[in-house]
Amino acid sequence: MIRTSRRLFNLALGSLAVLTFAGGSASVAAEDLSRVVLRVGDQTGATRAKLEAAGLLKEVPYQIEWSVYPAAVNLHEALKADAVDIGSAADSPTVSAIAGGSRIKVVASFSNGGLGSSLIIPAGSPIKTIQDLKGKTISPTTRGSVAHFLTLGVLRKAGLTAKDVKLAFLTPADASAAFQSGSIDAWGTWGVYLARSIGTLKATVLIDGVGINTGKGVYSATDHALADPGKVAAIADFIARVDRGYTWSRENKEAFLDFYAGFTKQDRATVEYLYQSEAGYKREPVDDALTASLQNVFETWKEAGVLSGDLNLADYVYRTLPTN
């Protein structure tokens, strides 16, 4: 007779539960992950707020420890420091973070086709076309951000380069203050900052990211978290909830607008203008096409002189996350 100790039996049972969960089965009991704490980095708190509005944070079989950051650069600093396990940012700052030595992997991707980031100008600005940006001061917000990527693409579209303008890299809060005071002529921004600028400051969108940005928002997890089967299972479940959150946004437009108007503290007309960019994200496969897209972002940053060296983004894509 083969004897198995109770400790080994329990370990095997626990491993089986995690593997069953990872395979997408709904049969895993809540207690299987009850000791897992998933540390989620959340830009502006928008993810948590929407998931709560959609009722998608009920009966979570693990604990979520939320941390809020004002921008992608801050979130990626937290990922690099292993202060959070997972967080979402656009592909541009994610590639910049990887190039900067962050030990993370992209585990999921969502895209809205390039919406979500815009280059805006103040109400009454004399700027009418992107060619009018020559000689002007533009804040792309932080260096390496999706707005920086957009700004470079807009300049290229206008036949200009970064040498034809003055780029003022600022935090979102500082860029907002500079925009309000008139010390910058245009601002590349996104999300809640875009909503508040349009609604409160009556800013005008000069151009959005369609045809320039990929519109990809990617979730990155630390190598440390991905080495823990329990956290991998929790990450898979969390990403599935995020996906259902976007479905909720599309299928419940009025409820979403109520939520987003309250979250951004803007009127319905403003948030309705932004509805498609916020609700239009759809989950994409983590495959060769995503890897190629990330590689192209890196090559674009190299061409712009923002990044240097060589980087194989295929090494930073985690293809085996279970889909629930």
Side-chain angles (χ1 to χ4, degrees), residues 203-247:
T204 298
V205 173
L206 182 64
I207 188 170
D208 63 28
V210 176
I212 300 173
N213 287 356
T214 65
K216 295 184 190 299
V218 299
Y219 275 86
S220 302
T222 65
D223 287 350
H224 186 259
L226 293 173
D228 182 332
K231 290 209 176 190
V232 171
I235 288 169
D237 175 82
F238 179 76
I239 296 298
R241 291 172 192 268
V242 170
D243 193 15
R244 293 199 298 275
Y246 287 122
T247 299

mmCIF file of all heavy atoms in Angstrom, residues 203-247:
data_model
loop_
_atom_site.group_PDB
_atom_site.id
_atom_site.type_symbol
_atom_site.label_atom_id
_atom_site.label_comp_id
_atom_site.label_asym_id
_atom_site.label_seq_id
_atom_site.Cartn_x
_atom_site.Cartn_y
_atom_site.Cartn_z
ATOM 1 N N ALA A 203 -12.533 72.734 -23.370
ATOM 2 C CA ALA A 203 -11.438 72.506 -24.307
ATOM 3 C C ALA A 203 -11.969 71.876 -25.590
ATOM 4 O O ALA A 203 -13.032 71.245 -25.605
ATOM 5 C CB ALA A 203 -10.389 71.597 -23.680
ATOM 6 N N THR A 204 -11.198 72.041 -26.655
ATOM 7 C CA THR A 204 -11.562 71.491 -27.956
ATOM 8 C C THR A 204 -10.577 70.382 -28.324
ATOM 9 O O THR A 204 -9.364 70.534 -28.143
ATOM 10 C CB THR A 204 -11.503 72.581 -29.043
ATOM 11 O OG1 THR A 204 -12.451 73.605 -28.724
ATOM 12 C CG2 THR A 204 -11.831 72.007 -30.415
ATOM 13 N N VAL A 205 -11.108 69.278 -28.849
ATOM 14 C CA VAL A 205 -10.244 68.198 -29.330
ATOM 15 C C VAL A 205 -9.732 68.583 -30.712
ATOM 16 O O VAL A 205 -10.512 68.725 -31.657
ATOM 17 C CB VAL A 205 -10.994 66.859 -29.385
ATOM 18 C CG1 VAL A 205 -10.133 65.792 -30.056
ATOM 19 C CG2 VAL A 205 -11.385 66.407 -27.980
ATOM 20 N N LEU A 206 -8.415 68.759 -30.819
ATOM 21 C CA LEU A 206 -7.812 69.070 -32.112
ATOM 22 C C LEU A 206 -7.731 67.816 -32.961
ATOM 23 O O LEU A 206 -8.027 67.834 -34.158
ATOM 24 C CB LEU A 206 -6.425 69.681 -31.913
ATOM 25 C CG LEU A 206 -5.684 70.109 -33.175
ATOM 26 C CD1 LEU A 206 -6.433 71.250 -33.882
ATOM 27 C CD2 LEU A 206 -4.255 70.544 -32.844
ATOM 28 N N ILE A 207 -7.327 66.705 -32.342
ATOM 29 C CA ILE A 207 -7.243 65.416 -33.037
ATOM 30 C C ILE A 207 -7.209 64.313 -31.996
ATOM 31 O O ILE A 207 -6.678 64.498 -30.895
ATOM 32 C CB ILE A 207 -5.988 65.358 -33.948
ATOM 33 C CG1 ILE A 207 -6.009 64.097 -34.818
ATOM 34 C CG2 ILE A 207 -4.712 65.462 -33.136
ATOM 35 C CD1 ILE A 207 -4.936 64.105 -35.915
ATOM 36 N N ASP A 208 -7.829 63.193 -32.321
ATOM 37 C CA ASP A 208 -7.769 62.053 -31.398
ATOM 38 C C ASP A 208 -6.796 61.011 -31.929
ATOM 39 O O ASP A 208 -6.109 61.232 -32.923
ATOM 40 C CB ASP A 208 -9.154 61.458 -31.127
ATOM 41 C CG ASP A 208 -9.815 60.890 -32.379
ATOM 42 O OD1 ASP A 208 -9.096 60.457 -33.304
ATOM 43 O OD2 ASP A 208 -11.063 60.873 -32.439
ATOM 44 N N GLY A 209 -6.745 59.872 -31.257
ATOM 45 C CA GLY A 209 -5.706 58.887 -31.550
ATOM 46 C C GLY A 209 -5.993 57.907 -32.658
ATOM 47 O O GLY A 209 -5.130 57.079 -32.986
ATOM 48 N N VAL A 210 -7.177 57.959 -33.248
ATOM 49 C CA VAL A 210 -7.517 56.990 -34.294
ATOM 50 C C VAL A 210 -6.568 57.148 -35.482
ATOM 51 O O VAL A 210 -6.363 58.248 -35.993
ATOM 52 C CB VAL A 210 -8.975 57.176 -34.760
ATOM 53 C CG1 VAL A 210 -9.290 56.224 -35.917
ATOM 54 C CG2 VAL A 210 -9.936 56.924 -33.600
ATOM 55 N N GLY A 211 -5.968 56.037 -35.889
ATOM 56 C CA GLY A 211 -5.035 56.049 -36.994
ATOM 57 C C GLY A 211 -3.605 56.363 -36.580
ATOM 58 O O GLY A 211 -2.695 56.284 -37.397
ATOM 59 N N ILE A 212 -3.423 56.720 -35.306
ATOM 60 C CA ILE A 212 -2.087 57.017 -34.787
ATOM 61 C C ILE A 212 -1.750 56.052 -33.653
ATOM 62 O O ILE A 212 -0.759 55.329 -33.703
ATOM 63 C CB ILE A 212 -1.978 58.472 -34.298
ATOM 64 C CG1 ILE A 212 -2.256 59.444 -35.457
ATOM 65 C CG2 ILE A 212 -0.595 58.739 -33.694
ATOM 66 C CD1 ILE A 212 -2.332 60.897 -35.047
ATOM 67 N N ASN A 213 -2.586 56.047 -32.634
ATOM 68 C CA ASN A 213 -2.398 55.113 -31.520
ATOM 69 C C ASN A 213 -3.100 53.794 -31.816
ATOM 70 O O ASN A 213 -4.046 53.741 -32.596
ATOM 71 C CB ASN A 213 -2.954 55.701 -30.227
ATOM 72 C CG ASN A 213 -2.093 56.806 -29.658
ATOM 73 O OD1 ASN A 213 -1.021 57.096 -30.181
ATOM 74 N ND2 ASN A 213 -2.550 57.430 -28.594
ATOM 75 N N THR A 214 -2.652 52.766 -31.155
ATOM 76 C CA THR A 214 -3.283 51.452 -31.334
ATOM 77 C C THR A 214 -4.601 51.353 -30.581
ATOM 78 O O THR A 214 -5.447 50.528 -30.919
ATOM 79 C CB THR A 214 -2.372 50.330 -30.823
ATOM 80 O OG1 THR A 214 -2.222 50.470 -29.403
ATOM 81 C CG2 THR A 214 -1.009 50.377 -31.493
ATOM 82 N N GLY A 215 -4.757 52.151 -29.534
ATOM 83 C CA GLY A 215 -5.939 52.037 -28.691
ATOM 84 C C GLY A 215 -5.885 50.862 -27.745
ATOM 85 O O GLY A 215 -6.898 50.487 -27.148
ATOM 86 N N LYS A 216 -4.713 50.291 -27.573
ATOM 87 C CA LYS A 216 -4.583 49.118 -26.710
ATOM 88 C C LYS A 216 -4.334 49.525 -25.256
ATOM 89 O O LYS A 216 -3.465 50.340 -24.973
ATOM 90 C CB LYS A 216 -3.432 48.219 -27.176
ATOM 91 C CG LYS A 216 -3.652 47.594 -28.540
ATOM 92 C CD LYS A 216 -2.530 46.637 -28.890
ATOM 93 C CE LYS A 216 -2.607 46.194 -30.352
ATOM 94 N NZ LYS A 216 -3.855 45.493 -30.661
ATOM 95 N N GLY A 217 -5.111 48.929 -24.383
ATOM 96 C CA GLY A 217 -4.847 49.009 -22.955
ATOM 97 C C GLY A 217 -4.436 47.625 -22.504
ATOM 98 O O GLY A 217 -5.202 46.662 -22.684
ATOM 99 N N VAL A 218 -3.241 47.476 -22.003
ATOM 100 C CA VAL A 218 -2.746 46.142 -21.665
ATOM 101 C C VAL A 218 -2.578 45.995 -20.163
ATOM 102 O O VAL A 218 -2.223 46.947 -19.461
ATOM 103 C CB VAL A 218 -1.415 45.828 -22.384
ATOM 104 C CG1 VAL A 218 -1.613 45.866 -23.891
ATOM 105 C CG2 VAL A 218 -0.315 46.801 -21.988
ATOM 106 N N TYR A 219 -2.872 44.805 -19.690
ATOM 107 C CA TYR A 219 -2.630 44.471 -18.289
ATOM 108 C C TYR A 219 -1.289 43.772 -18.172
ATOM 109 O O TYR A 219 -1.014 42.822 -18.906
ATOM 110 C CB TYR A 219 -3.742 43.579 -17.743
ATOM 111 C CG TYR A 219 -4.929 44.377 -17.249
ATOM 112 C CD1 TYR A 219 -5.936 44.776 -18.112
ATOM 113 C CD2 TYR A 219 -5.017 44.776 -15.916
ATOM 114 C CE1 TYR A 219 -7.006 45.532 -17.670
ATOM 115 C CE2 TYR A 219 -6.085 45.528 -15.458
ATOM 116 C CZ TYR A 219 -7.074 45.899 -16.346
ATOM 117 O OH TYR A 219 -8.120 46.668 -15.892
ATOM 118 N N SER A 220 -0.461 44.281 -17.269
ATOM 119 C CA SER A 220 0.855 43.692 -17.021
ATOM 120 C C SER A 220 0.896 43.151 -15.606
ATOM 121 O O SER A 220 0.393 43.778 -14.670
ATOM 122 C CB SER A 220 1.953 44.744 -17.197
ATOM 123 O OG SER A 220 1.915 45.309 -18.482
ATOM 124 N N ALA A 221 1.519 41.992 -15.458
ATOM 125 C CA ALA A 221 1.699 41.390 -14.137
ATOM 126 C C ALA A 221 3.184 41.175 -13.884
ATOM 127 O O ALA A 221 3.964 40.980 -14.829
ATOM 128 C CB ALA A 221 0.958 40.058 -14.050
ATOM 129 N N THR A 222 3.573 41.226 -12.641
ATOM 130 C CA THR A 222 4.983 41.034 -12.305
ATOM 131 C C THR A 222 5.373 39.569 -12.455
ATOM 132 O O THR A 222 4.534 38.658 -12.315
ATOM 133 C CB THR A 222 5.274 41.473 -10.867
ATOM 134 O OG1 THR A 222 4.561 40.619 -9.957
ATOM 135 C CG2 THR A 222 4.853 42.920 -10.631
ATOM 136 N N ASP A 223 6.648 39.333 -12.725
ATOM 137 C CA ASP A 223 7.144 37.959 -12.796
ATOM 138 C C ASP A 223 6.925 37.246 -11.474
ATOM 139 O O ASP A 223 6.642 36.039 -11.441
ATOM 140 C CB ASP A 223 8.638 37.963 -13.141
ATOM 141 C CG ASP A 223 8.903 38.342 -14.589
ATOM 142 O OD1 ASP A 223 7.929 38.426 -15.372
ATOM 143 O OD2 ASP A 223 10.082 38.558 -14.943
ATOM 144 N N HIS A 224 7.046 37.994 -10.388
ATOM 145 C CA HIS A 224 6.852 37.407 -9.055
ATOM 146 C C HIS A 224 5.424 36.891 -8.904
ATOM 147 O O HIS A 224 5.195 35.783 -8.406
ATOM 148 C CB HIS A 224 7.170 38.463 -7.993
ATOM 149 C CG HIS A 224 7.152 37.930 -6.597
ATOM 150 N ND1 HIS A 224 6.079 38.115 -5.754
ATOM 151 C CD2 HIS A 224 8.076 37.216 -5.898
ATOM 152 C CE1 HIS A 224 6.337 37.543 -4.588
ATOM 153 N NE2 HIS A 224 7.536 36.990 -4.650
ATOM 154 N N ALA A 225 4.446 37.673 -9.335
ATOM 155 C CA ALA A 225 3.053 37.242 -9.229
ATOM 156 C C ALA A 225 2.773 36.052 -10.136
ATOM 157 O O ALA A 225 2.046 35.117 -9.755
ATOM 158 C CB ALA A 225 2.121 38.397 -9.576
ATOM 159 N N LEU A 226 3.358 36.054 -11.329
ATOM 160 C CA LEU A 226 3.100 34.975 -12.280
ATOM 161 C C LEU A 226 3.769 33.665 -11.888
ATOM 162 O O LEU A 226 3.482 32.622 -12.472
ATOM 163 C CB LEU A 226 3.552 35.402 -13.677
ATOM 164 C CG LEU A 226 2.729 36.540 -14.300
ATOM 165 C CD1 LEU A 226 3.364 36.998 -15.609
ATOM 166 C CD2 LEU A 226 1.282 36.101 -14.529
ATOM 167 N N ALA A 227 4.643 33.720 -10.897
ATOM 168 C CA ALA A 227 5.257 32.490 -10.388
ATOM 169 C C ALA A 227 4.401 31.832 -9.314
ATOM 170 O O ALA A 227 4.718 30.735 -8.857
ATOM 171 C CB ALA A 227 6.641 32.807 -9.819
ATOM 172 N N ASP A 228 3.312 32.486 -8.939
ATOM 173 C CA ASP A 228 2.421 31.993 -7.878
ATOM 174 C C ASP A 228 1.123 31.495 -8.523
ATOM 175 O O ASP A 228 0.341 32.287 -9.045
ATOM 176 C CB ASP A 228 2.126 33.137 -6.902
ATOM 177 C CG ASP A 228 1.246 32.729 -5.735
ATOM 178 O OD1 ASP A 228 0.434 31.797 -5.891
ATOM 179 O OD2 ASP A 228 1.362 33.351 -4.669
ATOM 180 N N PRO A 229 0.860 30.164 -8.529
ATOM 181 C CA PRO A 229 -0.344 29.634 -9.179
ATOM 182 C C PRO A 229 -1.632 30.247 -8.659
ATOM 183 O O PRO A 229 -2.572 30.465 -9.427
ATOM 184 C CB PRO A 229 -0.278 28.129 -8.875
ATOM 185 C CG PRO A 229 1.169 27.850 -8.647
ATOM 186 C CD PRO A 229 1.709 29.079 -7.972
ATOM 187 N N GLY A 230 -1.688 30.524 -7.357
ATOM 188 C CA GLY A 230 -2.882 31.140 -6.803
ATOM 189 C C GLY A 230 -3.124 32.520 -7.387
ATOM 190 O O GLY A 230 -4.254 32.877 -7.730
ATOM 191 N N LYS A 231 -2.062 33.294 -7.508
ATOM 192 C CA LYS A 231 -2.211 34.644 -8.064
ATOM 193 C C LYS A 231 -2.533 34.587 -9.554
ATOM 194 O O LYS A 231 -3.294 35.417 -10.060
ATOM 195 C CB LYS A 231 -0.961 35.479 -7.808
ATOM 196 C CG LYS A 231 -0.784 35.834 -6.344
ATOM 197 C CD LYS A 231 -0.050 37.134 -6.130
ATOM 198 C CE LYS A 231 -0.008 37.466 -4.637
ATOM 199 N NZ LYS A 231 0.490 38.827 -4.354
ATOM 200 N N VAL A 232 -1.987 33.614 -10.265
ATOM 201 C CA VAL A 232 -2.323 33.459 -11.677
ATOM 202 C C VAL A 232 -3.818 33.186 -11.834
ATOM 203 O O VAL A 232 -4.488 33.760 -12.706
ATOM 204 C CB VAL A 232 -1.490 32.338 -12.329
ATOM 205 C CG1 VAL A 232 -2.007 32.026 -13.731
ATOM 206 C CG2 VAL A 232 -0.013 32.744 -12.391
ATOM 207 N N ALA A 233 -4.353 32.320 -10.986
ATOM 208 C CA ALA A 233 -5.784 32.034 -11.034
ATOM 209 C C ALA A 233 -6.598 33.275 -10.718
ATOM 210 O O ALA A 233 -7.619 33.556 -11.355
ATOM 211 C CB ALA A 233 -6.119 30.913 -10.050
ATOM 212 N N ALA A 234 -6.156 34.052 -9.732
ATOM 213 C CA ALA A 234 -6.848 35.281 -9.371
ATOM 214 C C ALA A 234 -6.771 36.300 -10.503
ATOM 215 O O ALA A 234 -7.753 36.989 -10.811
ATOM 216 C CB ALA A 234 -6.256 35.860 -8.088
ATOM 217 N N ILE A 235 -5.608 36.412 -11.138
ATOM 218 C CA ILE A 235 -5.441 37.337 -12.261
ATOM 219 C C ILE A 235 -6.388 36.963 -13.401
ATOM 220 O O ILE A 235 -7.025 37.827 -14.010
ATOM 221 C CB ILE A 235 -3.974 37.346 -12.740
ATOM 222 C CG1 ILE A 235 -3.091 38.074 -11.710
ATOM 223 C CG2 ILE A 235 -3.843 37.998 -14.112
ATOM 224 C CD1 ILE A 235 -1.606 37.905 -11.951
ATOM 225 N N ALA A 236 -6.486 35.660 -13.697
ATOM 226 C CA ALA A 236 -7.381 35.207 -14.765
ATOM 227 C C ALA A 236 -8.822 35.607 -14.459
ATOM 228 O O ALA A 236 -9.551 36.083 -15.338
ATOM 229 C CB ALA A 236 -7.267 33.695 -14.940
ATOM 230 N N ASP A 237 -9.228 35.421 -13.217
ATOM 231 C CA ASP A 237 -10.587 35.789 -12.824
ATOM 232 C C ASP A 237 -10.782 37.298 -12.894
ATOM 233 O O ASP A 237 -11.808 37.794 -13.378
ATOM 234 C CB ASP A 237 -10.869 35.291 -11.409
ATOM 235 C CG ASP A 237 -12.227 35.743 -10.897
ATOM 236 O OD1 ASP A 237 -13.220 35.071 -11.249
ATOM 237 O OD2 ASP A 237 -12.297 36.767 -10.186
ATOM 238 N N PHE A 238 -9.787 38.058 -12.427
ATOM 239 C CA PHE A 238 -9.897 39.519 -12.423
ATOM 240 C C PHE A 238 -10.023 40.057 -13.840
ATOM 241 O O PHE A 238 -10.870 40.919 -14.118
ATOM 242 C CB PHE A 238 -8.685 40.135 -11.728
ATOM 243 C CG PHE A 238 -8.715 41.639 -11.694
ATOM 244 C CD1 PHE A 238 -9.540 42.306 -10.806
ATOM 245 C CD2 PHE A 238 -7.932 42.373 -12.569
ATOM 246 C CE1 PHE A 238 -9.588 43.693 -10.779
ATOM 247 C CE2 PHE A 238 -7.970 43.756 -12.552
ATOM 248 C CZ PHE A 238 -8.801 44.419 -11.657
ATOM 249 N N ILE A 239 -9.200 39.565 -14.766
ATOM 250 C CA ILE A 239 -9.265 40.022 -16.156
ATOM 251 C C ILE A 239 -10.627 39.705 -16.759
ATOM 252 O O ILE A 239 -11.192 40.495 -17.533
ATOM 253 C CB ILE A 239 -8.146 39.390 -16.998
ATOM 254 C CG1 ILE A 239 -6.770 39.843 -16.505
ATOM 255 C CG2 ILE A 239 -8.314 39.729 -18.470
ATOM 256 C CD1 ILE A 239 -6.515 41.326 -16.610
ATOM 257 N N ALA A 240 -11.176 38.537 -16.414
ATOM 258 C CA ALA A 240 -12.511 38.177 -16.906
ATOM 259 C C ALA A 240 -13.557 39.158 -16.389
ATOM 260 O O ALA A 240 -14.501 39.510 -17.106
ATOM 261 C CB ALA A 240 -12.857 36.756 -16.478
ATOM 262 N N ARG A 241 -13.400 39.628 -15.160
ATOM 263 C CA ARG A 241 -14.331 40.623 -14.611
ATOM 264 C C ARG A 241 -14.195 41.954 -15.342
ATOM 265 O O ARG A 241 -15.183 42.641 -15.618
ATOM 266 C CB ARG A 241 -14.102 40.797 -13.114
ATOM 267 C CG ARG A 241 -14.518 39.584 -12.289
ATOM 268 C CD ARG A 241 -14.107 39.696 -10.815
ATOM 269 N NE ARG A 241 -14.264 38.415 -10.144
ATOM 270 C CZ ARG A 241 -15.358 38.032 -9.504
ATOM 271 N NH1 ARG A 241 -16.396 38.863 -9.401
ATOM 272 N NH2 ARG A 241 -15.432 36.845 -8.942
ATOM 273 N N VAL A 242 -12.962 42.338 -15.658
ATOM 274 C CA VAL A 242 -12.734 43.565 -16.429
ATOM 275 C C VAL A 242 -13.423 43.457 -17.782
ATOM 276 O O VAL A 242 -14.080 44.397 -18.252
ATOM 277 C CB VAL A 242 -11.225 43.823 -16.603
ATOM 278 C CG1 VAL A 242 -10.978 44.953 -17.606
ATOM 279 C CG2 VAL A 242 -10.583 44.160 -15.263
ATOM 280 N N ASP A 243 -13.291 42.303 -18.431
ATOM 281 C CA ASP A 243 -13.924 42.068 -19.729
ATOM 282 C C ASP A 243 -15.439 42.207 -19.610
ATOM 283 O O ASP A 243 -16.093 42.856 -20.439
ATOM 284 C CB ASP A 243 -13.534 40.671 -20.218
ATOM 285 C CG ASP A 243 -13.883 40.446 -21.680
ATOM 286 O OD1 ASP A 243 -14.168 41.436 -22.393
ATOM 287 O OD2 ASP A 243 -13.865 39.276 -22.124
ATOM 288 N N ARG A 244 -16.017 41.610 -18.562
ATOM 289 C CA ARG A 244 -17.459 41.727 -18.353
ATOM 290 C C ARG A 244 -17.847 43.168 -18.048
ATOM 291 O O ARG A 244 -18.962 43.600 -18.353
ATOM 292 C CB ARG A 244 -17.900 40.789 -17.230
ATOM 293 C CG ARG A 244 -17.757 39.310 -17.592
ATOM 294 C CD ARG A 244 -18.607 38.414 -16.703
ATOM 295 N NE ARG A 244 -18.244 38.476 -15.298
ATOM 296 C CZ ARG A 244 -17.283 37.759 -14.734
ATOM 297 N NH1 ARG A 244 -16.549 36.923 -15.477
ATOM 298 N NH2 ARG A 244 -17.026 37.852 -13.443
ATOM 299 N N GLY A 245 -16.916 43.919 -17.456
ATOM 300 C CA GLY A 245 -17.184 45.327 -17.190
ATOM 301 C C GLY A 245 -17.369 46.115 -18.480
ATOM 302 O O GLY A 245 -18.254 46.980 -18.579
ATOM 303 N N TYR A 246 -16.557 45.827 -19.485
ATOM 304 C CA TYR A 246 -16.718 46.498 -20.774
ATOM 305 C C TYR A 246 -18.015 46.059 -21.449
ATOM 306 O O TYR A 246 -18.693 46.877 -22.093
ATOM 307 C CB TYR A 246 -15.514 46.218 -21.676
ATOM 308 C CG TYR A 246 -14.278 46.966 -21.248
ATOM 309 C CD1 TYR A 246 -13.098 46.294 -20.939
ATOM 310 C CD2 TYR A 246 -14.279 48.357 -21.157
ATOM 311 C CE1 TYR A 246 -11.959 46.980 -20.544
ATOM 312 C CE2 TYR A 246 -13.142 49.058 -20.762
ATOM 313 C CZ TYR A 246 -11.990 48.356 -20.451
ATOM 314 O OH TYR A 246 -10.874 49.039 -20.065
ATOM 315 N N THR A 247 -18.353 44.782 -21.313
ATOM 316 C CA THR A 247 -19.625 44.306 -21.864
ATOM 317 C C THR A 247 -20.784 45.036 -21.202
ATOM 318 O O THR A 247 -21.728 45.474 -21.870
ATOM 319 C CB THR A 247 -19.763 42.789 -21.665
ATOM 320 O OG1 THR A 247 -18.697 42.127 -22.352
ATOM 321 C CG2 THR A 247 -21.089 42.282 -22.219
#
